[in-house]
Amino acid sequence: MNNNNNNKRHKPNDTPDTPDGVNGGVINRQLTFQTRKKIDDAASRNDRRLAFTTYDESKNNPAIALPMHTLNVLLHLCSANDENDSFSTKEEDKERAEEIFFRLMKDSEEEEDKHQQGRRKTEMSYTAMARVYARNGEFEKSFEMVDLCKNGGVLGKGKDGGGKKTQQKLTPKLRTYAPSLRGFCESGNWKRAEDVFEAIEREGLECTEMEFTAMMSVYGREKKTCEENGFRMLRKMKSKVRTCGKELIESVERFFKAEPNAWRCETVENVESSSGRFEVSSENTIIGSSGDNNNN
């Protein structure tokens, strides 16, 4: 009987080399593991120089096939450049991220038919790129990553894209939308911020205090043209936000204080639930118009 022999499984250390490496080469598992560990360890210490240098040394080696997790780690490092980091500029980080991202997409598509789950892309890849673009002020590109994630958009913006249509469609998470939403809000583009916010809701995702804070902040700065939008967002918050943190309270307070139609803001010891005043409150904050006795 040969069934027993056919059912045997070799341990990774017993078979250090496997086919189908980069450019059809042979993967050296031990070398791949050492390279992956070196990059992961460097990333855990935020040693961007060592992580990227190791990647650059390995990317053209046919014996090394880095897993998607490690490529995602590198993408995250591209989006997490400290302003005082002298290793690379934001533009250089974007170019490096695009190179890694399109390599990741290409590798994933090639491996999809072989059912190698460890080398298939995930939503994290798109989220990392959304952060990279938002960090560089390219908020439209950041938002585009959501569509690419959902609908299997067209490759071709990177060196190895080749205009290929991706097959694997994924579900974006709130963190995939967040970079473009915050970017539009910070730049004062409240209309595009609303587009992102509405897309989040259509996806069935629940916005957090962070997203409401960003929206109320831009409404406060642009109150002259979107005061009613701010009030609609406040009414939405009433059913979506259970408690208000400091940043959210401050953004709402700035909205009310902003001209035109500025409101007076008070800090009180206790808030009566039956006060009959329009209020957005935390433990010690109430916001309302002076002398307003209407139930709003």
Side-chain angles (χ1 to χ4, degrees):
M1 296 292 289
N2 294 325
N3 290 340
N4 290 337
N5 292 331
N6 292 337
N7 291 332
K8 286 183 179 180
R9 295 290 182 269
H10 294 286
K11 296 179 181 179
N13 291 336
D14 294 336
T15 56
D17 300 325
T18 57
D20 299 325
V22 177
N23 299 322
V26 176
I27 299 174
N28 184 305
R29 290 190 178 184
Q30 183 176 4
L31 184 57
T32 294
F33 172 79
Q34 291 172 346
T35 303
R36 183 192 70 188
K37 188 174 187 305
K38 189 174 181 180
I39 292 174
D40 289 348
D41 288 348
S44 68
R45 302 190 302 271
N46 200 32
D47 188 342
R48 300 172 73 253
R49 183 182 298 274
L50 178 58
F52 289 136
T53 299
T54 302
Y55 169 74
D56 289 339
E57 292 172 350
S58 70
K59 64 184 179 182
N60 294 320
N61 188 337
I64 299 175
L66 295 174
M68 294 299 165
H69 168 76
T70 301
L71 295 177
N72 281 330
V73 166
L74 290 166
L75 284 177
H76 171 73
L77 287 178
C78 290
S79 68
N81 184 357
D82 187 272
E83 295 296 336
N84 298 320
D85 191 337
S86 61
F87 175 69
S88 59
T89 64
K90 290 193 294 185
E91 184 63 28
E92 289 171 337
D93 284 337
K94 186 188 79 170
E95 293 176 359
R96 183 187 296 274
E98 288 179 333
E99 175 192 330
I100 294 171
F101 178 73
F102 287 107
R103 172 186 173 178
L104 186 152
M105 298 253 280
K106 181 181 177 182
D107 288 352
S108 176
E109 293 301 324
E110 290 176 352
E111 297 300 329
E112 185 174 352
D113 293 337
K114 301 173 186 177
H115 305 291
Q116 296 191 21
Q117 297 294 330
R119 299 195 66 195
R120 297 186 66 180
K121 61 184 178 289
T122 68
E123 158 274 331
M124 292 175 60
S125 311
Y126 298 92
T127 297
M129 282 306 301
R131 290 169 178 165
V132 169
Y133 285 130
R135 187 174 176 275
N136 279 54
E138 300 180 56
F139 309 128
E140 291 293 348
K141 279 190 175 181
S142 179
F143 191 26
E144 285 174 9
M145 297 311 297
V146 173
D147 183 69
L148 189 61
C149 178
K150 286 177 59 177
N151 301 315
V154 176
L155 304 187
K157 296 181 181 179
K159 295 180 180 179
D160 300 322
K164 180 181 177 183
K165 182 79 173 179
T166 65
Q167 301 300 318
Q168 185 184 357
K169 299 179 182 180
L170 303 168
T171 302
K173 296 184 179 180
L174 180 60
R175 63 188 182 185
T176 317
Y177 293 87
S180 57
L181 177 69
R182 289 197 298 268
F184 285 131
C185 287
E186 290 171 3
S187 65
N189 193 342
W190 59 271
K191 291 184 178 180
R192 289 298 284 147
E194 286 185 339
D195 291 339
V196 179
F197 195 94
E198 290 170 3
I200 293 173
E201 293 187 314
R202 285 196 301 272
E203 193 67 25
L205 299 171
E206 289 288 338
C207 289
T208 67
E209 278 193 45
M210 186 178 297
E211 289 71 48
F212 282 108
T213 298
M215 293 302 299
M216 291 309 302
S217 293
V218 72
Y219 286 146
R221 293 195 303 272
E222 306 293 332
K223 188 176 180 181
K224 184 176 181 180
T225 55
C226 54
E227 182 175 15
E228 287 303 316
N229 306 56
F231 283 115
R232 282 197 295 270
M233 189 62 64
L234 285 170
R235 286 190 287 270
K236 186 172 293 186
M237 283 171 50
K238 185 176 181 180
S239 61
K240 299 290 185 181
V241 180
R242 299 185 62 131
T243 59
C244 296
K246 180 180 178 181
E247 290 186 1
L248 180 54
I249 286 293
E250 289 175 349
S251 69
V252 173
E253 186 173 359
R254 286 193 297 270
F255 170 78
F256 277 104
K257 284 183 175 180
E259 295 289 350
N261 304 321
W263 291 39
R264 182 167 61 87
C265 302
E266 303 174 1
T267 299
V268 297
E269 290 288 330
N270 297 297
V271 177
E272 294 292 338
S273 60
S274 59
S275 61
R277 302 172 68 188
F278 181 92
E279 62 185 46
V280 178
S281 60
S282 66
E283 292 180 354
N284 64 345
T285 306
I286 182 170
I287 302 172
S289 62
S290 178
D292 183 6
N293 293 320
N294 295 325
N295 293 330
N296 294 318

